[in-house]
Amino acid sequence: MHILFNHHRLRLIGLSFVCVVLQGCSTLEDWTQTARQSLSPYASTRGTALINGKDLNAWKLVGNANWRLQDGLVQAELGDGFLITRNSYQNFHLVAEFWVDEEANSGIFFRCTDPLVINDKTAYEANIYDKRPDASYGTGTIVGVAKSLVQPNLKTGGQWNTYDITVVGTRMTLVLNGQTTVDTNDSTHTDAGPIALQYNKGVVKFRKLTIESL
């Protein structure tokens, strides 16, 4: 009986060990899945919804583009100008969902140094411009800083797209529709600044923009 009891105890200990290992694997798998989801350009952030389908209270208008809220979408198709956030951001994770036609010239500017003069010299621009004459800094690039790692440049016209932008210190990464187009370092603009959505031509629509400070 003593031997059987010990054998039974050993079996219980062995089964307990297996359960712990399996539980650990399950936890690791769950963690891995969570990490993958958090890195996915289609995953929502835990931050603030700057586009909520209800109002434009988080934004100010610069220029004469006809930015407005229509059917829950923030859109423009006339004029030339920006929507610029009221708050400033330095290190952040931003996820934007947008639709543009093939002629559109738009972009997401960040760390803007002058809220009244917004261009690729006073801020970083994650470009949205499929037909840019100089295609080297077309869609998926940071204009004047980093060309796209994906060649030829990705096209976004006529479909819904997701831009995933992460900025920490001097490092900036752009993920467009699941593909990393930029992973670079630059120290031109290091201070916090507003986010700006550009309208220059074509049709531009945003249905989501969330940002989480890091």
Side-chain angles (χ1 to χ4, degrees), residues 28-68:
L28 179 60
E29 289 173 359
D30 291 344
W31 180 89
T32 303
Q33 181 65 23
T34 300
R36 285 175 178 169
Q37 289 176 351
S38 68
L39 293 173
S40 168
Y42 301 99
S44 62
T45 72
R46 296 171 294 176
T48 303
L50 298 181
I51 291 179
N52 57 20
K54 300 176 182 179
D55 57 58
L56 295 175
N57 293 341
W59 304 87
K60 298 182 291 184
L61 182 63
V62 175
N64 63 3
N66 67 332
W67 285 109
R68 66 197 184 281

Side-chain angles (χ1 to χ4, degrees), residues 103-163:
E103 303 301 322
N105 178 7
S106 183
I108 300 174
F109 289 73
F110 52 94
R111 288 187 178 173
C112 299
T113 59
D114 186 340
L116 298 179
V117 180
I118 304 168
N119 55 51
D120 58 31
K121 301 297 188 296
T122 62
Y124 292 115
E125 179 188 3
N127 209 5
I128 305 170
Y129 193 178
D130 287 358
K131 292 187 176 181
R132 190 175 192 268
D134 178 5
S136 60
Y137 285 113
T139 298
T141 70
I142 298 179
V143 178
V145 175
K147 298 178 182 180
S148 178
L149 298 172
V150 180
Q151 292 298 322
N153 292 344
L154 299 178
K155 301 298 184 183
T156 53
Q159 63 185 28
W160 282 103
N161 307 274
T162 301
Y163 239 148

Side-chain angles (χ1 to χ4, degrees), residues 196-210:
L197 307 181
Q198 179 192 29
Y199 176 80
N200 178 260
K201 67 177 179 179
V203 178
V204 178
K205 303 178 183 180
F206 285 84
R207 67 181 177 190
K208 169 186 173 183
L209 194 152
T210 57

